[in-house]
Amino acid sequence: MQLLETLCRLAAPSGHEDPMTAFVLDYVQQNQAKWQHQPRVLAGEGFQDCVVLVFGQPRTAVFAHLDSIGFMVRYGRQLVAIGGPETQAGYRLVGHDAEGEIDCALTINEETETLGYEFSRELPRGTELTFRCDFRETDATVQSCYLDNRLGVWTALRLCETLEHGIIAFSCGEEHGGGTVPFLAQYIYDHYGVRQALICDITWVTEGVHLGQGCVISLRDSLIPRRTYVDRIRAIAARAGIAVQLEVEDIGGSDAKELQRAAQPWDWCFVGAPEDHVHTPDELVDKRDIASMLALYQVLLCEL
Amino acid sequence: MQLLETLCRLAAPSGHEDPMTAFVLDYVQQNQAKWQHQPRVLAGEGFQDCVVLVFGQPRTAVFAHLDSIGFMVRYGRQLVAIGGPETQAGYRLVGHDAEGEIDCALTINEETETLGYEFSRELPRGTELTFRCDFRETDATVQSCYLDNRLGVWTALRLCETLEHGIIAFSCGEEHGGGTVPFLAQYIYDHYGVRQALICDITWVTEGVHLGQGCVISLRDSLIPRRTYVDRIRAIAARAGIAVQLEVEDIGGSDAKELQRAAQPWDWCFVGAPEDHVHTPDELVDKRDIASMLALYQVLLCEL
Amino acid sequence: MQLLETLCRLAAPSGHEDPMTAFVLDYVQQNQAKWQHQPRVLAGEGFQDCVVLVFGQPRTAVFAHLDSIGFMVRYGRQLVAIGGPETQAGYRLVGHDAEGEIDCALTINEETETLGYEFSRELPRGTELTFRCDFRETDATVQSCYLDNRLGVWTALRLCETLEHGIIAFSCGEEHGGGTVPFLAQYIYDHYGVRQALICDITWVTEGVHLGQGCVISLRDSLIPRRTYVDRIRAIAARAGIAVQLEVEDIGGSDAKELQRAAQPWDWCFVGAPEDHVHTPDELVDKRDIASMLALYQVLLCEL
C-alpha cells in the first residue's frame, strides 16, 4: 500500500495533472524491468499529460484517470470547485504559491453557500488547493482522500506486472469534464484497432453495493453500456469465481461518457471497487474489494 | 401495418437492440429482391448493433433509431428508467429472465417518487422491462407503444422499396444518450462523402403541430439546424405538393444532436410524423401523417 | 470603429450566419492586399458557413464565432430564444419576412414567462428576430448589441493586418450549441498539425473583472484549460507588459467546449475583453480593453 499512499499524496487536480504524469512515467521506468512483459510507452507531444502503455497485441484498453477533484481560488477569499468535491466547513486544504506552502481551512458562507478559505494571507487567483491527505490503513480497509482514482491508477500499475496483451491509458480531466479520452480513443483505435474498454475507476457504496462484497461491474450509471459486452464480462468473472457486485444506477458517469460519444465503435464497461464517503477526505475502501478488482482485471485482460 | 405491428412488439430498449438488429437484417434479406434497387448491407463487426444500407451513389443519409425507452431493475423491487418514459402506476411491463416470462405492473412510491414493479417474485438486477404492446389500428389512426421510433424504422424500410441513391442508417441508443451516430457519421462521411442527413423519427403534437395535418419538418428543437439546408427541404416539399407542418420548439432532441457535434460538416433536419401521448403505451399517430412522411422521404431522397 | 459598427448591424443569429460569412469573405477580398501577409482562404463546400484564413506556417489557431443570440417565432405570437438572450419587455427586435421589414417589441407573459412579440401582423413560423442595433461610441467606450462576438470578429480581422503565421477560424453556432468547431478542429489539426487554440470572444464583467483594466485571460469558466498552456500565455503577456485580468469562474463556456471534447489534443485558452450588460442590446466595452485585446493577440500569435 506504499505505492497507493504515494499516489494519494500527490496533488493533481483536473487541468494540472503533470505531477502525476511525471510520477507514473518515472514509476514505469523504475519498475518495468521486473514486469513479465515490457510495454511501449506513449506520452508527451500529442498526448498532453496522458500516458499510454501498450503491451503485446492488445484487444482491450483500460482507462484510469490521473486527476482528482479540488478547489481553485476565485477572487479575494472565494473558492470554486474543481469537479464535484463534497464540502464541509473546516476541511483542511493544501497547496502552494509563489510565497510558499499553503495549509488552510475550507469555509462555507451560510447565506450564499459560496466556498472560501481561511488563511493568514490572501491567495493569488487560480491557486489550486486539494484535500490534505490523511492516509489511514487497517487490516481490512484503506482510507484517504483521492482513492478515487488513485486506487484505479494503482490497480492499473499492478496489472502491468503480469500483463501480456492490452493497453493501459492514464487519462486526465475526468473529474471536471474530461477531454482527453476522445483523442486517446481515436489514437488507440486508429493505431491498434482496439475498441473494447474497461473503465478502471472507483464507484459508490449504495443500498445495493456494499463494502467487502467484491469489485463492481456496472450495468449502467447515467449511461447504459451495450448489453452483449457487459454480459461477456459477467460471464468471465463468473467462470473465474471472482466475487463481484452488480451496479444499476441512473446517475454518475466516468471516462465512459467520452467513449460512448466517440466516433469509433467502442464497447465499454465500468469495473471498479466501491467506496464510502465519496469525494471527501475520508474515502473508504475495503481491501477485499481491492483484491477482487485486481484479480478481475487480470482475468479480463486475458479473456476478453 | 403488419410490419409496423411486428416492429412495435419487439423488445429492444437502448443498450439491448440486437433483437431489432436481427429482425431488420432478416427483413432486408427476405425482401430486397422485390426492391427496385439492391443495397450494400453494412453490419456486424465495427457497427455494434447498427445496420447501414447503401443504395447507389448516395448524397443523403436517413437516420432511424432502432431502440426504445423502457425500464431496468435496480435493487430489490426498484426500477430505473431507460430513456424518458412517461410513468403511471399500473402500466403493464413485460420482459424475461432466467426463470421465464415477466408480466408485471409499474409502481410509483408516492413519497419518494421512485419507480418499482409489482410481481410474484423479485427480478434480477439489470433485467430490462418494456411496455406491453397493445397495438390498435383504426381507419384513421395507429396506436401502440414504441411508434417512436418503430414508425421511423417502418418508413425507412418502406423507403427502401423504391430508393435508388441514398443511405439508410439504423442507429442504437438514441433514447438514452446515443453514442452510435458518431461512428456512423464518420464512417458514412469517410467512405461515401455524404454529409446531408434526415432524421427519420417521431415528434410531438403541440399547440402548433396537430394530428392529420402532415409530416413535420422541424425548424428547430433544442438545437437549430442550418437554415439554408432546412429551406431547401421546405422548398422540395412545397414543389411536390406534400402537406407538411413546421415545428419550432426549444426542447427535445434526436440523433441530430450527435450529427451537430460530429467532426464532419453534416447538415441535418428532423422530418417525421407527430404523435400524441408521447413515450406512453398509447402513442397515437394519424395515418395521413404516415403517408405524408413516406411520400416526403421518397421525394427528398430523389431531390436533395 | 466603422468596421465594428457594420459588424454589429449585420443580423446573423445561430443557424443563419451566411450574411456574416459573405461579409467576411468580401472584407478579406477587399482588404488583404493591404495586409503584410496574404492568407489562404478556406470556405464553402465542407465548411458550411465558416471561414478559415491560413497565414504562413501556423502554430496557433484563433477561433472567433460569427453568430449572435436572437429569437425565433414559434406559433402565433410566441417567440423562443436563440442562445441565451437577456429578456426585458419592450426590447426592440428587427427582422424580415416575405412581407417586408419587421420592427417589433419583445413581450413577456407575466404568468407563464413565455416570450412573444407585439407587431401589426402575425409573423411566419421560424422567422428570426435580432436586437435592433443602437451603436453608441464615446471616447472611452463602445456600446451596442452583439459586441459579443462582433468585437471578437473585429479583433481577428484587425489581427490579420500584421499576422505572419497563424490560423483565423470564424465559427458558427456558438451561442446556441456550436457544432462547427468540431469539424474545424479536425480539419485544422489534420491539415496543419495545429493544436494550440485561442478563443477570441467577449467575457463578463464580474466582481473580479472590471472594465478598463485590460484584456481577460481566463483561468477557467465551466471548463478548465490545461494549466501549462495557460501559464505560457500569462508569461508572454507579462513579458510584453500588456495589462491583463485573470478570470476564475465556474459557469460560462465558449467554442473551447468543443475543442476540449475534440478527438485531437487541443490546448485552448479564452482571451478576450470583458463587457457589461451581457447579452442585452446595451453590451458595453471599454476601448482600453479592446486595445489590450488586439495587442495581446498580436504578441501571442508571434510567441506561442
Side-chain angles (χ1 to χ4, degrees):
Chain A
M1 298 283 102
Q2 180 59 42
L3 171 60
L4 180 58
E5 179 170 350
T6 303
L7 292 169
C8 288
R9 290 194 182 283
L10 267 169
S14 307
H16 202 164
E17 293 91 348
D18 52 318
M20 272 294 287
T21 312
F23 178 85
V24 166
L25 286 170
D26 185 63
Y27 180 89
V28 170
Q29 198 170 16
Q30 299 293 324
N31 290 275
Q32 64 177 328
K34 294 177 283 185
W35 296 350
Q36 292 181 13
H37 307 273
Q38 275 62 52
R40 184 172 169 198
V41 181
L42 307 173
E45 284 291 295
F47 291 90
Q48 294 188 353
D49 295 312
C50 302
V51 177
V52 180
L53 308 177
V54 183
F55 289 83
Q57 312 296 323
R59 302 176 307 276
T60 303
V62 174
F63 289 83
H65 72 85
L66 296 174
D67 62 305
S68 80
I69 53 177
F71 300 88
M72 190 184 284
V73 176
R74 192 178 177 241
Y75 311 129
R77 291 187 179 259
Q78 299 170 2
L79 294 179
V80 290
I82 297 172
E86 291 297 311
T87 54
Q88 190 175 300
Y91 276 166
R92 282 178 71 179
L93 306 179
V94 296
H96 61 91
D97 63 8
E99 295 190 39
E101 295 302 306
I102 302 160
D103 186 337
C104 62
L106 180 66
T107 64
I108 306 176
N109 185 305
E110 284 185 11
E111 278 175 45
T112 62
E113 293 189 358
T114 51
L115 304 174
Y117 60 90
E118 193 176 307
F119 194 50
S120 54
R121 56 186 172 83
E122 199 165 289
L123 300 172
R125 289 181 189 187
T127 304
E128 292 140 336
L129 301 172
T130 52
F131 289 135
R132 182 179 163 281
C133 179
D134 176 18
F135 194 88
R136 289 148 282 176
E137 187 180 353
T138 70
D139 287 350
T141 62
V142 178
Q143 189 164 26
S144 170
C145 59
Y146 303 138
L147 292 176
D148 169 8
N149 186 34
R150 302 303 155 76
L151 185 51
V153 173
W154 179 91
T155 303
L157 289 172
R158 294 293 312 278
L159 177 61
C160 289
E161 297 173 7
T162 56
L163 188 57
E164 185 171 3
H165 301 293
I167 288 175
I168 311 291
F170 294 104
S171 66
C172 295
E174 191 268 355
E175 295 289 0
H176 195 78
T180 60
V181 167
F183 67 76
L184 295 174
Q186 175 157 332
Y187 188 93
I188 290 169
Y189 181 78
D190 285 354
H191 288 75
Y192 300 100
V194 171
R195 52 186 157 80
Q196 297 186 141
L198 298 171
I199 308 301
C200 186
D201 199 349
I202 305 305
T203 187
W204 307 335
V205 167
T206 62
E207 58 192 299
V209 170
H210 306 285
L211 289 178
Q213 299 191 4
C215 182
V216 169
I217 296 174
S218 181
L219 303 188
R220 59 171 290 179
D221 47 29
S222 62
L223 289 182
I224 302 176
R226 202 157 67 107
R227 189 78 184 196
T228 48
Y229 183 63
V230 175
D231 283 349
R232 286 175 58 209
I233 290 168
R234 291 173 64 177
I236 292 170
R239 278 201 304 272
I242 297 170
V244 299
Q245 304 181 74
L246 299 177
E247 175 181 87
V248 181
E249 297 292 342
D250 57 0
I251 55 169
S254 68
D255 273 340
K257 286 195 284 188
E258 298 188 296
L259 290 174
Q260 176 80 357
R261 288 192 208 120
Q264 307 84 37
W266 281 91
D267 274 324
W268 55 268
C269 183
F270 184 107
V271 176
E275 70 173 22
D276 209 348
H277 311 303
V278 173
H279 284 195
T280 75
D282 305 306
E283 296 180 352
L284 180 72
V285 178
D286 190 293
K287 285 182 174 177
R288 290 169 291 185
D289 300 331
I290 299 175
S292 167
M293 183 175 176
L294 180 55
L296 184 51
Y297 269 94
Q298 288 169 335
V299 68
L300 287 174
L301 269 285
C302 287
E303 301 197 14
L304 263 179
Chain B
M1 298 282 102
Q2 180 59 42
L3 171 61
L4 179 59
E5 180 170 352
T6 303
L7 292 169
C8 288
R9 291 194 180 283
L10 267 168
S14 306
H16 202 163
E17 293 91 348
D18 51 319
M20 272 293 287
T21 312
F23 178 85
V24 166
L25 286 171
D26 185 63
Y27 180 89
V28 170
Q29 199 170 13
Q30 299 294 323
N31 289 275
Q32 64 178 327
K34 295 176 282 185
W35 296 349
Q36 292 181 12
H37 307 273
Q38 275 62 51
R40 184 172 169 198
V41 181
L42 306 173
E45 285 291 295
F47 292 90
Q48 294 189 353
D49 295 313
C50 302
V51 177
V52 179
L53 308 177
V54 183
F55 290 83
Q57 312 296 324
R59 300 176 308 276
T60 303
V62 174
F63 289 82
H65 71 84
L66 295 174
D67 62 304
S68 81
I69 52 176
F71 301 88
M72 191 184 284
V73 176
R74 191 177 177 241
Y75 311 129
R77 291 188 179 258
Q78 300 170 1
L79 294 178
V80 289
I82 297 172
E86 291 296 312
T87 54
Q88 190 174 303
Y91 276 166
R92 282 178 72 178
L93 306 179
V94 295
H96 61 91
D97 63 9
E99 295 189 40
E101 295 301 307
I102 303 160
D103 187 338
C104 61
L106 180 67
T107 63
I108 306 176
N109 183 305
E110 284 185 10
E111 279 174 44
T112 62
E113 292 189 359
T114 51
L115 303 175
Y117 60 90
E118 193 177 306
F119 193 49
S120 54
R121 57 187 171 84
E122 198 165 289
L123 301 172
R125 289 182 188 186
T127 303
E128 292 140 337
L129 301 172
T130 52
F131 289 134
R132 182 177 162 282
C133 180
D134 177 17
F135 194 88
R136 288 148 282 177
E137 188 180 351
T138 70
D139 286 350
T141 63
V142 178
Q143 188 163 27
S144 171
C145 60
Y146 302 139
L147 291 176
D148 169 6
N149 185 34
R150 303 304 156 73
L151 185 52
V153 173
W154 179 92
T155 303
L157 289 172
R158 295 292 315 276
L159 177 61
C160 289
E161 297 172 7
T162 56
L163 188 58
E164 185 170 4
H165 301 293
I167 288 175
I168 310 291
F170 294 104
S171 66
C172 296
E174 191 268 353
E175 294 289 0
H176 195 78
T180 59
V181 167
F183 66 78
L184 294 175
Q186 175 157 331
Y187 188 93
I188 291 169
Y189 181 77
D190 285 354
H191 288 75
Y192 300 99
V194 171
R195 52 186 158 78
Q196 297 186 141
L198 297 171
I199 308 301
C200 185
D201 198 349
I202 305 304
T203 188
W204 307 336
V205 166
T206 62
E207 59 192 298
V209 170
H210 306 284
L211 290 178
Q213 299 191 4
C215 182
V216 168
I217 296 174
S218 181
L219 303 188
R220 60 171 290 179
D221 48 29
S222 63
L223 289 182
I224 302 176
R226 201 157 66 107
R227 188 79 184 193
T228 47
Y229 183 62
V230 175
D231 284 349
R232 286 175 58 210
I233 289 168
R234 291 173 64 176
I236 291 170
R239 278 200 305 272
I242 296 170
V244 298
Q245 304 182 73
L246 300 177
E247 175 182 87
V248 181
E249 296 293 342
D250 56 1
I251 55 169
S254 68
D255 273 340
K257 286 195 284 189
E258 298 188 296
L259 290 174
Q260 175 81 358
R261 289 193 207 119
Q264 308 83 38
W266 281 91
D267 275 322
W268 56 268
C269 183
F270 184 106
V271 176
E275 71 174 20
D276 209 349
H277 311 302
V278 173
H279 284 195
T280 74
D282 304 306
E283 296 180 353
L284 181 72
V285 178
D286 189 294
K287 285 183 173 176
R288 289 168 291 184
D289 300 333
I290 298 175
S292 166
M293 183 175 175
L294 180 55
L296 184 52
Y297 269 93
Q298 288 168 337
V299 68
L300 287 174
L301 269 283
C302 287
E303 301 196 15
L304 263 180
Chain C
M1 298 285 102
Q2 179 59 42
L3 171 61
L4 180 59
E5 179 170 351
T6 303
L7 292 169
C8 288
R9 291 194 181 284
L10 266 169
S14 306
H16 201 163
E17 293 90 347
D18 52 317
M20 272 293 287
T21 312
F23 178 85
V24 167
L25 287 171
D26 184 64
Y27 180 88
V28 170
Q29 199 170 15
Q30 300 294 324
N31 290 273
Q32 65 177 327
K34 293 176 283 183
W35 296 350
Q36 292 180 11
H37 307 273
Q38 273 64 51
R40 183 172 169 200
V41 181
L42 306 173
E45 284 291 294
F47 291 91
Q48 294 188 354
D49 296 312
C50 302
V51 177
V52 179
L53 308 177
V54 182
F55 289 82
Q57 312 296 323
R59 301 176 308 276
T60 303
V62 174
F63 288 83
H65 71 85
L66 296 174
D67 62 304
S68 79
I69 53 175
F71 300 87
M72 190 185 284
V73 175
R74 191 178 177 242
Y75 311 127
R77 292 189 178 256
Q78 300 170 0
L79 294 178
V80 290
I82 297 172
E86 291 296 311
T87 54
Q88 191 174 301
Y91 276 166
R92 282 178 71 178
L93 306 179
V94 296
H96 61 93
D97 63 9
E99 295 190 40
E101 295 301 307
I102 302 160
D103 186 338
C104 62
L106 180 66
T107 64
I108 306 175
N109 184 306
E110 285 186 10
E111 278 175 45
T112 62
E113 293 189 357
T114 51
L115 304 174
Y117 59 90
E118 192 176 308
F119 193 50
S120 55
R121 57 187 172 84
E122 199 165 289
L123 301 171
R125 289 181 188 188
T127 303
E128 292 141 334
L129 301 172
T130 52
F131 289 136
R132 182 178 163 282
C133 180
D134 177 18
F135 194 89
R136 288 149 282 176
E137 187 180 352
T138 70
D139 286 350
T141 63
V142 177
Q143 189 163 26
S144 171
C145 59
Y146 303 138
L147 291 176
D148 169 7
N149 186 36
R150 303 304 155 75
L151 184 52
V153 173
W154 179 92
T155 303
L157 289 172
R158 294 293 313 276
L159 177 62
C160 290
E161 298 172 6
T162 56
L163 188 58
E164 185 171 4
H165 301 293
I167 288 175
I168 310 292
F170 295 104
S171 67
C172 295
E174 192 268 352
E175 293 289 1
H176 194 79
T180 59
V181 167
F183 67 77
L184 295 174
Q186 175 157 330
Y187 187 92
I188 290 169
Y189 182 77
D190 285 354
H191 287 75
Y192 300 100
V194 171
R195 52 186 157 79
Q196 296 186 141
L198 298 170
I199 308 302
C200 186
D201 198 349
I202 305 304
T203 187
W204 308 336
V205 166
T206 63
E207 58 193 297
V209 170
H210 307 286
L211 289 179
Q213 299 191 3
C215 182
V216 168
I217 297 174
S218 182
L219 303 189
R220 59 170 291 179
D221 48 28
S222 62
L223 289 182
I224 302 177
R226 202 157 67 107
R227 189 78 184 197
T228 48
Y229 183 63
V230 175
D231 284 350
R232 287 174 58 210
I233 290 168
R234 291 173 64 177
I236 292 169
R239 279 200 305 272
I242 296 170
V244 298
Q245 304 182 74
L246 299 178
E247 175 182 86
V248 181
E249 297 292 342
D250 57 0
I251 55 170
S254 68
D255 273 339
K257 287 195 283 189
E258 300 189 295
L259 291 175
Q260 175 81 357
R261 289 193 208 121
Q264 307 84 37
W266 282 91
D267 274 324
W268 55 268
C269 183
F270 184 107
V271 176
E275 70 173 22
D276 209 348
H277 311 301
V278 173
H279 284 195
T280 75
D282 305 305
E283 296 180 352
L284 180 71
V285 178
D286 190 294
K287 285 183 174 178
R288 289 169 292 184
D289 300 332
I290 298 176
S292 167
M293 182 175 175
L294 180 55
L296 184 52
Y297 269 93
Q298 288 168 336
V299 68
L300 286 174
L301 269 284
C302 287
E303 301 196 15
L304 263 180

